[in-house]
Amino acid sequence: MHYPNLSREEIAQRGEELYQQHIRTQVETAKNIGKILAINITTGDYEIDDDLIVACHRLQVKQPKAIIWTERIGYDAVYAVGGTLVRTTQ
């Protein structure tokens, strides 16, 4: 599947759905909490790394046309600007 004309909201919705329904149970482990997850929303493939750029780059090397959504595993946001990241899991 290819989604060339998705809005930011549609990308976010698809990324969040993939994460919650298919990926979360596989990646939310003690060793991954706090790491960055980059998801190709067209294939469901993903990469995990401590660094957002590295995770996205690895995914794009394998899938150059990837439409990428990112998550910080176990938290409510990837980064907090002027606030605090909130843990979503214990």
Side-chain angles (χ1 to χ4, degrees):
M1 261 187 288
H2 184 60
Y3 306 102
N5 298 313
L6 293 177
S7 68
R8 284 186 266 184
E9 292 79 16
E10 291 169 315
I11 292 170
Q13 179 184 2
R14 289 174 195 256
E16 187 64 28
E17 285 173 1
L18 277 168
Y19 181 69
Q20 294 298 333
Q21 296 172 8
H22 303 288
I23 300 171
R24 184 178 184 171
T25 57
Q26 298 171 42
V27 301
E28 277 197 11
T29 63
K31 72 175 189 154
N32 286 336
I33 296 297
K35 291 187 179 185
I36 300 294
L37 175 75
I39 305 167
N40 179 342
I41 66 161
T42 60
T43 65
D45 294 333
Y46 60 87
E47 287 289 332
I48 298 172
D49 200 274
D50 291 321
D51 185 284
L52 180 130
I53 301 297
V54 173
C56 291
H57 184 262
R58 268 203 320 262
L59 191 53
Q60 285 182 317
V61 166
K62 293 191 296 187
Q63 301 172 352
K65 295 186 181 193
I67 299 173
I68 298 174
W69 173 253
T70 59
E71 292 270 340
R72 182 173 298 277
I73 299 170
Y75 286 86
D76 67 335
V78 175
Y79 292 108
V81 178
T84 306
L85 291 173
V86 176
R87 242 343 251 288
T88 58
T89 60
Q90 298 305 327

